[in-house]
């Protein structure tokens, strides 16, 4: 890199040569890791979900939790900063975020994010060639930017597991709303639907057309 580059030019060069599109090469590693550890990865996610539902059921038995309306899987940016690919899964009753009885578990999606964390370590070493124009703070911002792509992979994995989750013992015994929804997104922020009871969707559609 030329020493005459300003920070903006240095960042553009850094992104172009060491960041952009590099995540696509990680897909091969993620797919391989998944295929090698498929049973463990899937059972770990299912067991974690079942643990959440069982916890909610026990709270319902104690009278501290109403029927579950929402299960929310949260992507935690703070964890990514620490190379921790942990998702928080919460079960809420009709009070949604005002539900005062906490019911949550943690799930580790490291099999998806591991290649990202390794790539960022290499970027830390590469930045030394840019005469301090690329800082560790810049690397952290790049990491958060890239992590969204891996989060989308995690969401697709979760969505693929929904049919199995709905058959888990904890979910089946837990008292739930006919309109229960499963969401995934940033903690108490923008999210997308993983599952919505099809019967409730049909009811709303019929009502709208009446």
């Amino acid at each position: 890199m030329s020493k005459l580059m300003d920070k903006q030019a240095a960042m553009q060069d850094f992104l172009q040569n060491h960041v952009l599109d590099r995540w696509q090469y990680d897909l091969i590693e993620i797919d391989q890791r998944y295929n090698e550890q498929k049973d463990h990865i899937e059972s770990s996610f299912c067991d974690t979900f079942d643990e959440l539902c069982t916890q909610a059921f026990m709270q319902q038995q104690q009278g501290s939790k109403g029927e579950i309306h929402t299960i929310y899987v949260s992507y935690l940016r703070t964890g990514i900063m620490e190379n921790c690919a942990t998702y928080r899964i919460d079960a809420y009753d009709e009070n949604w975020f005002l539900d005062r009885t906490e019911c949550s578990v943690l799930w580790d999606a490291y099999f998806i994010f591991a290649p990202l964390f390794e790539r960022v370590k290499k970027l830390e070493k590469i930045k030394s060639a840019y005469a301090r124009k690329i800082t560790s703070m810049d690397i952290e911002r790049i990491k958060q930017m890239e992590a969204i792509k891996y989060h989308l992979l995690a969401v697709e994995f979760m969505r693929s597991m929904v049919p199995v989750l709905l058959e888990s013992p904890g979910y089946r015994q837990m008292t739930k709303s006919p309109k229960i929804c499963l969401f995934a997104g940033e903690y108490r922020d923008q999210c997308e639907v993983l599952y919505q009871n099809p019967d409730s969707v049909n009811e709303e559609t019929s009502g709208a057309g009446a």
Side-chain angles (χ1 to χ4, degrees):
M1 186 205 77
S2 170
K3 294 182 179 180
L4 298 178
M5 273 189 183
D6 61 15
K7 182 173 178 62
Q8 183 176 355
M11 177 57 72
Q12 184 176 354
D13 184 87
F14 186 78
L15 292 173
Q16 186 65 44
N17 291 302
H18 306 292
V19 179
L20 298 181
D21 298 329
R22 296 302 191 278
W23 69 276
Q24 297 181 34
Y25 299 103
D26 292 341
L27 296 177
I28 298 174
E29 181 179 342
I30 293 169
D31 188 58
Q32 181 179 356
R33 189 188 301 263
Y34 175 70
N35 289 327
E36 291 174 350
Q37 305 176 23
K38 186 175 186 294
D39 291 343
H40 171 71
I41 290 169
E42 293 184 355
S43 63
S44 173
F45 184 56
C46 291
D47 290 348
T48 301
F49 184 85
D50 188 70
E51 179 186 344
L52 173 78
C53 296
T54 300
Q55 184 183 148
F57 174 72
M58 293 176 63
Q59 291 173 344
Q60 290 170 337
Q61 294 294 96
Q62 296 164 1
S64 60
K65 176 82 77 175
E67 65 178 12
I68 301 304
H69 283 238
T70 307
I71 294 178
Y72 194 105
V73 186
S74 298
Y75 167 71
L76 305 176
R77 284 180 176 270
T78 52
I80 297 299
M81 291 174 63
E82 300 171 357
N83 288 344
C84 181
T86 300
Y87 280 79
R88 170 173 170 156
I89 312 177
D90 289 87
Y92 298 105
D93 62 19
E94 66 275 8
N95 295 307
W96 190 220
F97 289 139
L98 297 179
D99 183 352
R100 295 185 177 181
T101 303
E102 181 177 314
C103 182
S104 66
V105 293
L106 298 175
W107 172 63
D108 187 358
Y110 190 77
F111 80 98
I112 291 175
F113 288 84
L116 170 65
F117 298 152
E118 288 302 314
R119 193 152 57 84
V120 169
K121 288 180 183 178
K122 294 176 182 177
L123 292 180
E124 278 287 348
K125 296 178 180 179
I126 294 171
K127 81 176 194 304
S128 61
Y130 285 77
R132 299 185 181 179
K133 289 185 173 67
I134 305 296
T135 67
S136 292
M137 189 173 295
D138 292 324
I139 299 296
E140 184 56 43
R141 282 195 287 266
I142 291 170
K143 182 184 187 181
Q144 293 290 351
M145 176 183 69
E146 291 289 283
I148 294 299
K149 299 165 185 173
Y150 298 77
H151 164 63
L152 294 177
L153 293 176
V155 169
E156 288 309 308
F157 166 75
M158 296 174 206
R159 184 176 282 113
S160 73
M161 294 298 298
V162 165
V164 181
L165 300 180
L166 300 184
E167 294 300 321
S168 68
Y171 183 83
R172 292 172 69 88
Q173 71 178 350
M174 177 183 74
T175 304
K176 47 200 168 288
S177 166
K179 297 183 178 181
I180 188 170
C181 285
L182 278 63
F183 296 101
E186 296 206 36
Y187 185 60
R188 300 194 176 191
D189 203 334
Q190 187 175 0
C191 61
E192 58 181 292
V193 176
L194 293 177
Y195 168 80
Q196 184 174 5
N197 189 327
D199 293 335
S200 67
V201 175
N202 293 335
E203 288 177 9
E204 291 175 3
T205 302
S206 299

